[in-house]
Amino acid sequence: MAQTEPPKAARLWREAALRARKLRDEPELEPEPEPNAEDSGPPGGPPQPPSIAPAARRAALGELEALNLSGRGLQELPEEVGAALSGLRVLSLRRNRLSRLPLAALRHLGRLAELDLSHNRLRGLGDGGALGGLRGLRKLSLSHNELGAEGAGALGELGRLEELDLSFNRLRRLPEGLGRLRHLRALDVDHNQLAAFPAVLLELAALEELDCSGNRQLGVLPEGIAALRRLKILWLSGTGLAALPEGLCQLGALESLMLDGNQLRALPAGFGSLQRLKMLNLSSNLLAEFPAAVLALPGLEELYLSRNQLTVLPPRLCQLRQLRTLWLDNNRIRYLPDSIVLLHSLEELVLQGNQIAILPEGFGQLSRVTLWKIKDNPLIQPPYEVCMKGIPYIAAYQQELAHSQPALKPRLKLVLMGPKDAGKTLLRRCLMEEDGQKEDLGSLDAGSTQPRGCPGQQQDAGRAPVACCPFPEDASQQDLPSHVPSHRGKGEAPCPAPPPDASQVPSGPGLSGSKGIEVMDWTADAERGLTFIVYELAGDPSYDVIQSFFLSPGALYVLVVNLSAYVPQHFYPSVGYFLHWLGSKVPHAVVCMVGTHADLCAERELEEKCLDIHHQIAQQEKRDAEGLQSLVQQVDEALGQDFDLRCSSPHAAFYGVSDKNLRRKKAQFQYLLNHRPQILSPVLPFSCRDRCQVRRLRDKLLSVAEHRDIFPNLHRVLPKSWQVLEELHFQPRAQQLWLSWWDSARLGLQAGLTEDRLQSALSYLHESGKLLYFEEHLTLREYVFHNLPRLIDILNVFCQQDATVLLQKLLSDSHIDELRAAQLHHYVEGFLLHGLLPAHVIRLLLKPHVQSREDLQLILELLEKMGLCYCVNKPKCKPLNGAAAWYKFPCYVKNEVPHAEAWIHGANLSGQSFVVEQLQIEYSFPFIFPPGLFARYSVQINSHVVQRSDGKYQIYAYRGKVPVVVSYRPARGALQPDTLSIASHASLPNIWTAWQAITPLVEELNVLLQEWPGLYYTVHVLCSKCLKRGSPNPHTFPGELLSQPRPEGLTEIICPKNGSERVNVALVYPPTPTVISPCSK
């Protein structure tokens, strides 16, 4: 079978092939009779006469037509069984341990029409005598055995055979006698070791289906293939073909042709004569030009051209009017022909990984498209944010562009990031030249600034990603973020060196570090109208939960390091960690390294430090790439193995993982390899005292920003009405914290937008980070949060961990008495220790921003939507006696939950081991654990659990009556990853309740991890036997098994850590497979 077949083609055409192979009037398989049935009849009944019962049973067995003995562990089939089942027509012996054909038994089965011997250990078929006796056999499956050419010679005796499956064996050639099978309609020889196309196949004139995929050395098709004139399905995936013969073009009955994974550069001239062709797969070849012959196939419904070298699509593509599926991903296509909008039957269109900047007018006409992939293209018209929302939003954009003139406003997001005291604030103010600093820092060409507060995330802010954890100066080893162990020695200090003496740093008004997140507009080049939206991210770990709101594709990132304080031993916390954080959140991010406080370093010291940073960045990237390459190689080796071999022993790499999941895993590794951060070198030394260095950095940022290949989104085209709407939302008179939908609609009318056209404009402004609009949230969709500077002020309040600052906010009212002050002090202490605050105290903290209880409720809904807090005691109706609602902010929780730790290791509070079975799913993060992820996840699962008890690293709760534990474990050493696990327990007969309890929690975590497309992590199912023994290093089964059905006939799996223990399959595979593998993105 093909290794890279598209999912829809694999489904439709394999199902078609299977339907075609079914025999008419095929009898149903009947279960095997109970072997221990009593001769004397039913228990308690009168005994039957011994002379009658055996005879009656023999008569019944003689009339049996179908018998299923699959998965019984049989090593042989006794002759007596065959003699007693002489009337049998269908026999299944798949998934047993037969090493030789049961010749004696088969001699008695002369009426047999179907025989399934797949998934055994057969190396030969005997002398042919037994098979020759099966004159009526029409269907034979010998797949997944160990047959060689010599062992398959007896097949020529089966003169009435119609379907033969020899896939996944060791055949180097096919037996000559195969040509005598004049009635053979379907032959499957995929994944063997055929060195050439077998000439004997050309004698099979009745053949309708042929699968030779996976025979990598096949190399060439003979011209004589034209003899197979009845062929309808031909699969030749991964067979090493470099060219196709003209004889192939004479297969006029052909409907499905799989040619992916070869080395084809062109198609034969007569290819257009295949007029019945409905599905054509040419993915993963070497096609540099679109094959013109394909345009002569009017009945084509599915066309796959992924992973080629195409640059142009022909205008006549619209001739394929029946086309429903078109895959063109990972090519070099720069534009689409206008005629593509005439493919009205199109349902799947995959264009990701090309160089498309502009979509044709009328693209929204493709309204039937349901599968749409366009990411990794330099889109400017429509912008990336619009295209990612889908075809209806593209249609709305193009309609709006037709109503109003296009507007082009060059604007780029610039993000300053780095550890605390790196000098980010000073760098920003030097570049932007605020009025208060011009004397001290030297005046250059005037640049204008304007406060903003737009977190430019290009994703749904409701799915707010988690943030990075910069290092505080007193960080302990326990608080360090996870990373690749080899990146830091065990004795290496976990925090950056102390900042330089404050007296040595240029001073001026407001030169202290930033207070949280700050956002400003900077018109860097007034003549060209180039504007940067500058985001300065705090280096304080208190802002972990919100930092990554501000990381998005299409931005220029400046990583700032304090050169005067930098030492090589602190490379990872100063530089390497931020590159891992950014790379996991924004793959292929563009990073400019800037070293501040250069004036405090001697010239030689400066040069050595810049070279060391450059060298260590290169070393880190090399280690990461080599690690991913090694993983790709491991997956390739597993794909080269027989699936049965992977399932034969839990010791095998990727035990039981399907080829489909392995290919998905490899694709993810390849994506991570191909989207490494783009680090601009060398490190730019910077000092605010040196005008030349300020000017050089400014020029560097401008030149990078204007590079069309790096930042095509700088030149995005918008409808004028959308741009006017944005300006109206940010005008001075609209300074309230939010607008109602109707207020926003009135502004839309001023911009020329009717109500039905407003939503698409607001959706774009939300996706591009200009404002927040949650169109799918029941409550929040009635509001537009346009004043993001004030919203950022609110977020900064809840990231503040200084008790003094919080108390100042609460005690600002001079009328507060001592008792009330003591009570507020108690609330602050509880907040900083347990993360708990009542609603009325939250209202006091937000007093400048909220004026009413309705305002407060809306803000709390927003914070809950963003994953910052949840209501502990949310009432179902209006609370009695004014009972206060309490809110929990998980990032503040400091206490531990020891009983949850004991539970997860298989003990109850008294230390007694549980007699029930434990179920535990573990996520492992070898490179980096996204800081703030655990706190955000804690909020997301609140709707799924009850009676929860939270600790700093654990959540102990119930799903209904079933206990669950969510546990985060930071890396305990340089060679160990961070882990996050989800666990439950139940008795073995009721283990489905444990699966039912943890599955929604697993799905919530998978959704969160989708927000980190560059993050590498693994998922495992821990061995329940190891957990019960209290093993500190339990065996792990691949997490991909969660998305696969339980193997047929498998009841137990041997634990490799202890060969005498067997794990019930229900503790490894869920009752119902998840929709996708949890390891996939």
Side-chain angles (χ1 to χ4, degrees):
M1 196 163 76
Q3 285 198 357
T4 56
E5 60 200 26
K8 188 163 186 178
R11 185 180 73 252
L12 292 180
W13 292 103
R14 177 60 82 179
E15 288 176 359
L18 292 176
R19 284 196 300 271
R21 291 175 188 175
K22 287 186 177 179
L23 299 176
R24 294 179 181 178
D25 303 323
E26 175 180 327
E28 294 288 333
L29 289 180
E30 296 182 6
E32 179 189 17
E34 291 294 333
N36 57 349
E38 295 291 337
D39 293 341
S40 59
Q48 302 295 323
S51 60
I52 298 178
R57 186 162 61 248
R58 281 196 297 271
L61 289 176
E63 296 176 0
L64 191 67
E65 292 191 347
L67 178 61
N68 184 0
L69 294 176
S70 301
R72 304 299 177 97
L74 301 177
Q75 297 182 5
E76 60 180 12
L77 189 66
E79 181 177 2
E80 293 79 3
V81 174
L85 301 171
S86 56
L88 207 62
R89 297 188 65 241
V90 178
L91 174 60
S92 177
L93 293 168
R94 68 193 309 266
R95 292 194 181 277
N96 281 291
R97 301 174 185 175
L98 301 175
S99 58
R100 62 173 182 260
L101 206 62
L103 301 176
L106 292 179
R107 287 193 181 98
H108 299 278
L109 302 178
R111 297 183 59 192
L112 204 62
E114 295 186 21
L115 176 60
D116 188 348
L117 290 163
S118 62
H119 297 272
N120 278 283
R121 303 172 183 178
L122 300 177
R123 296 188 177 182
L125 302 179
D127 57 5
L131 282 181
L134 303 177
R135 300 293 183 183
L137 197 65
R138 289 185 288 171
K139 182 176 180 179
L140 174 62
S141 177
L142 293 164
S143 70
H144 294 85
N145 278 283
E146 302 173 12
L147 296 176
E150 296 75 13
L155 293 173
E157 304 298 326
L158 302 173
R160 297 186 62 185
L161 198 64
E162 296 181 9
E163 301 180 27
L164 176 60
D165 188 352
L166 293 169
S167 60
F168 291 91
N169 278 283
R170 302 174 181 177
L171 300 173
R172 296 185 179 274
R173 57 184 176 82
L174 296 183
E176 294 297 329
L178 207 64
R180 299 197 297 271
L181 304 181
R182 301 300 181 185
H183 298 282
L184 196 65
R185 295 186 296 103
L187 175 61
D188 193 345
V189 292
D190 70 285
H191 287 85
N192 277 281
Q193 301 171 16
L194 300 177
F197 189 87
V200 68
L201 295 183
L202 304 180
E203 303 175 26
L204 303 175
L207 205 60
E208 296 179 3
E209 303 166 21
L210 175 61
D211 188 351
C212 295
S213 301
N215 291 281
R216 300 178 182 276
Q217 301 176 6
L218 206 62
V220 178
L221 289 181
E223 285 287 347
I225 197 172
L228 304 178
R229 295 188 178 277
R230 295 187 181 181
L231 208 58
K232 295 181 180 180
I233 297 176
L234 177 58
W235 286 13
L236 295 165
S237 304
T239 50
L241 298 176
L244 299 176
E246 285 291 341
L248 180 72
C249 305
Q250 300 179 32
L251 301 177
L254 204 60
E255 297 179 2
S256 172
L257 180 57
M258 297 281 288
L259 292 166
D260 57 302
N262 286 292
Q263 302 171 30
L264 300 176
R265 298 180 182 273
L267 297 182
F271 196 84
S273 62
L274 300 176
Q275 291 293 294
R276 295 189 181 182
L277 200 62
K278 295 182 179 180
M279 193 281 289
L280 174 61
N281 189 346
L282 290 166
S283 297
S284 300
N285 277 284
L286 303 175
L287 298 172
E289 296 182 0
F290 188 94
V294 172
L295 301 176
L297 304 174
L300 199 63
E301 297 180 1
E302 299 181 40
L303 177 59
Y304 301 91
L305 285 163
S306 306
R307 298 177 296 281
N308 278 282
Q309 302 170 14
L310 304 179
T311 57
V312 177
L313 298 180
R316 294 188 297 136
L317 188 64
C318 60
Q319 294 178 198
L320 304 177
R321 297 189 179 277
Q322 303 299 319
L323 204 61
R324 295 185 291 106
T325 299
L326 179 59
W327 287 39
L328 295 163
D329 56 287
N330 296 288
N331 280 281
R332 304 170 183 174
I333 301 169
R334 289 188 171 274
Y335 64 90
L336 300 175
D338 293 340
S339 61
I340 196 172
V341 303
L342 300 178
L343 297 176
H344 298 303
S345 299
L346 212 56
E347 298 175 2
E348 296 184 12
L349 181 56
V350 179
L351 298 169
Q352 67 186 40
N354 281 286
Q355 300 173 22
I356 301 168
I358 299 175
L359 297 182
E361 291 185 15
F363 200 81
Q365 297 177 32
L366 301 176
S367 57
R368 298 184 64 180
V369 172
T370 55
L371 179 61
W372 162 249
K373 296 184 180 181
I374 190 65
K375 69 177 183 178
D376 296 331
N377 279 282
L379 295 159
I380 62 173
Q381 186 177 343
Y384 176 85
E385 298 87 350
V386 175
C387 293
M388 291 301 291
K389 293 285 287 184
I391 301 294
Y393 288 84
I394 294 174
Y397 166 89
Q398 292 185 330
Q399 291 170 7
E400 192 59 41
L401 208 58
H403 279 90
S404 64
Q405 62 187 30
L408 183 65
K409 185 176 182 180
R411 180 167 49 191
L412 188 67
K413 179 177 175 181
L414 179 69
V415 181
L416 304 178
M417 57 191 302
K420 190 175 181 180
D421 298 318
K424 299 183 293 294
T425 302
L426 188 59
L427 171 65
R428 172 175 61 84
R429 293 178 178 174
C430 285
L431 282 174
M432 298 173 61
E433 294 183 344
E434 293 183 359
D435 294 337
Q437 295 179 344
K438 286 183 180 178
E439 278 189 21
D440 296 331
L441 305 179
S443 176
L444 300 173
D445 297 335
S448 63
T449 63
Q450 178 182 350
R452 279 186 68 93
C454 318
Q457 73 264 30
Q458 292 186 348
Q459 58 195 2
D460 186 347
R463 291 285 184 195
V466 290
C468 155
C469 179
F471 291 80
E473 293 179 25
D474 59 347
S476 64
Q477 180 71 25
Q478 187 179 19
D479 296 326
L480 284 176
S482 60
H483 48 78
V484 177
S486 60
H487 290 180
R488 191 191 74 209
K490 290 186 177 180
E492 187 173 318
C495 58
D501 185 75
S503 64
Q504 296 177 319
V505 180
S507 61
L511 283 181
S512 59
S514 66
K515 304 297 183 183
I517 313 297
E518 296 191 25
V519 186
M520 302 287 284
D521 268 351
W522 170 33
T523 305
D525 191 323
E527 291 183 4
R528 288 174 286 185
L530 177 57
T531 302
F532 285 108
I533 308 175
V534 184
Y535 295 75
E536 182 191 341
L537 304 188
D540 193 312
S542 304
Y543 297 86
D544 281 357
V545 181
I546 65 172
Q547 291 271 29
S548 292
F549 276 95
F550 307 95
L551 303 183
S552 62
L556 173 56
Y557 294 89
V558 176
L559 179 51
V560 183
V561 57
N562 185 344
L563 287 178
S564 67
Y566 174 78
V567 291
Q569 294 83 355
H570 296 166
F571 165 79
Y572 191 75
S574 300
V575 178
Y577 172 73
F578 289 93
L579 293 177
H580 273 164
W581 169 41
L582 180 60
S584 61
K585 185 66 176 66
V586 186
H588 221 44
V590 181
V591 185
C592 180
M593 293 294 308
V594 176
T596 56
H597 303 299
D599 56 313
L600 302 181
C601 301
E603 183 175 350
R604 182 172 180 178
E605 177 190 6
L606 188 66
E607 181 180 355
E608 289 177 350
K609 289 185 175 182
C610 289
L611 285 175
D612 179 78
I613 292 173
H614 179 73
H615 173 72
Q616 293 209 51
I617 288 175
Q619 289 293 103
Q620 175 170 298
E621 283 298 300
K622 181 181 178 182
R623 283 192 298 266
D624 292 353
E626 287 177 348
L628 291 171
Q629 286 283 12
S630 175
L631 293 170
V632 170
Q633 184 176 353
Q634 292 175 29
V635 174
D636 278 336
E637 291 174 356
L639 281 169
Q641 296 174 343
D642 182 357
F643 176 68
D644 274 2
L645 183 60
R646 290 201 300 275
C647 296
S648 61
S649 169
H651 293 276
F654 303 108
Y655 165 76
V657 180
S658 67
D659 284 358
K660 179 181 178 181
N661 272 332
L662 282 179
R663 287 193 295 269
R664 183 181 286 148
K665 198 175 188 74
K666 179 181 177 180
Q668 175 64 15
F669 292 151
Q670 291 286 9
Y671 178 83
L672 296 179
L673 277 170
N674 297 334
H675 291 78
R676 305 302 303 158
Q678 304 174 75
I679 303 170
L680 308 177
S681 59
V683 179
L684 295 177
F686 180 86
S687 170
C688 288
R689 295 182 179 277
D690 191 328
R691 289 190 181 186
C692 292
Q693 291 182 349
V694 175
R695 184 178 294 110
R696 183 176 65 173
L697 178 57
R698 182 196 299 251
D699 292 344
K700 177 72 171 179
L701 297 178
L702 288 174
S703 66
V704 172
E706 292 185 318
H707 199 297
R708 281 185 175 266
D709 289 339
I710 300 178
F711 291 112
N713 57 314
L714 182 67
H715 306 280
R716 69 184 70 181
V717 179
L718 293 177
K720 183 68 175 177
S721 56
W722 289 14
Q723 183 177 324
V724 172
L725 180 69
E726 177 186 349
E727 294 170 353
L728 289 173
H729 275 84
F730 298 131
Q731 61 188 355
R733 64 176 179 272
Q735 288 305 301
Q736 59 266 46
L737 186 55
W738 57 75
L739 297 174
S740 70
W741 164 262
W742 296 111
D743 290 336
S744 186
R746 293 188 191 97
L747 296 179
L749 289 174
Q750 296 180 40
L753 288 166
T754 56
E755 183 181 337
D756 59 319
R757 291 152 49 202
L758 176 64
Q759 182 153 329
S760 57
L762 290 176
S763 175
Y764 165 75
L765 294 176
H766 170 85
E767 293 296 329
S768 58
K770 308 303 189 304
L771 48 75
L772 297 182
Y773 172 59
F774 303 98
E775 55 185 306
E776 297 179 358
H777 193 279
L778 186 62
T779 302
L780 298 179
R781 68 185 178 189
E782 300 296 329
Y783 300 89
V784 177
F785 296 88
H786 67 297
N787 194 340
L788 296 188
R790 290 183 64 186
L791 179 59
I792 289 176
D793 289 342
I794 290 174
L795 296 179
N796 286 336
V797 167
F798 293 109
C799 292
Q800 178 60 250
Q801 299 202 14
D802 188 332
T804 304
V805 175
L806 292 173
L807 282 172
Q808 285 177 351
K809 289 180 175 290
L810 294 174
L811 300 177
S812 58
D813 192 339
S814 57
H815 301 291
I816 294 180
D817 55 29
E818 291 185 9
L819 180 61
R820 178 64 172 162
Q823 188 179 31
L824 292 176
H825 192 278
H826 173 73
Y827 283 139
V828 169
E829 287 182 344
F831 177 53
L832 296 179
L833 183 62
H834 304 290
L836 281 170
L837 273 181
H840 67 276
V841 176
I842 296 176
R843 183 174 178 180
L844 289 177
L845 285 173
L846 301 179
K847 193 172 183 180
H849 304 288
V850 297
Q851 304 298 328
S852 65
R853 179 175 297 178
E854 290 72 21
D855 290 351
L856 175 64
Q857 191 59 42
L858 191 60
I859 286 293
L860 290 172
E861 287 263 9
L862 179 62
L863 294 178
E864 192 165 352
K865 170 70 175 174
M866 298 170 75
L868 299 182
C869 67
Y870 63 88
C871 185
V872 176
N873 58 340
K874 182 177 290 187
K876 295 182 179 179
C877 56
K878 188 173 181 179
L880 299 175
N881 302 323
W886 284 77
Y887 287 82
K888 185 136 192 157
F889 294 78
C891 58
Y892 282 92
V893 176
K894 299 295 190 298
N895 61 306
E896 303 293 340
V897 186
H899 61 277
E901 179 69 24
W903 185 95
I904 209 164
H905 283 102
N908 56 21
L909 293 177
S910 63
Q912 299 293 323
S913 295
F914 280 125
V915 295
V916 294
E917 301 291 347
Q918 298 185 55
L919 194 62
Q920 187 166 337
I921 313 298
E922 183 177 85
Y923 288 69
S924 178
F925 301 85
F927 284 80
I928 184 173
F929 182 81
L933 175 65
F934 185 72
R936 171 83 194 281
Y937 181 52
S938 176
V939 175
Q940 293 298 105
I941 66 172
N942 187 59
S943 61
H944 298 287
V945 298
V946 295
Q947 301 179 40
R948 61 184 291 171
S949 174
D950 288 28
K952 183 176 182 179
Y953 292 139
Q954 289 175 321
I955 304 166
Y956 183 58
Y958 283 85
R959 281 266 302 156
K961 296 182 178 180
V962 182
V964 292
V965 170
V966 177
S967 178
Y968 165 59
R969 178 176 296 176
R972 295 182 175 181
L975 299 178
Q976 291 185 336
D978 292 46
T979 60
L980 194 155
S981 61
I982 306 165
S984 183
H985 65 72
S987 62
L988 187 57
N990 294 320
I991 198 64
W992 63 271
T993 62
W995 282 111
Q996 194 176 54
I998 69 173
T999 298
L1001 308 188
V1002 170
E1003 291 173 349
E1004 286 287 356
L1005 183 55
N1006 292 340
V1007 170
L1008 282 179
L1009 291 174
Q1010 295 296 315
E1011 299 172 357
W1012 296 79
L1015 178 68
Y1016 169 58
Y1017 62 93
T1018 60
V1019 186
H1020 295 97
V1021 182
L1022 301 192
C1023 172
S1024 63
K1025 298 294 184 182
C1026 293
L1027 292 174
K1028 187 174 289 189
R1029 283 190 283 108
S1031 171
N1033 186 26
H1035 175 67
T1036 58
F1037 297 97
E1040 286 83 3
L1041 301 183
L1042 297 173
S1043 65
Q1044 298 178 196
R1046 293 178 182 176
E1048 181 183 346
L1050 184 66
T1051 58
E1052 292 181 325
I1053 304 173
I1054 297 175
C1055 173
K1057 294 290 179 70
N1058 188 343
S1060 63
E1061 291 183 324
R1062 295 178 178 269
V1063 183
N1064 191 289
V1065 71
L1067 298 169
V1068 179
Y1069 290 85
T1072 303
T1074 56
V1075 177
I1076 61 170
S1077 169
C1079 307
S1080 312
K1081 293 185 181 295

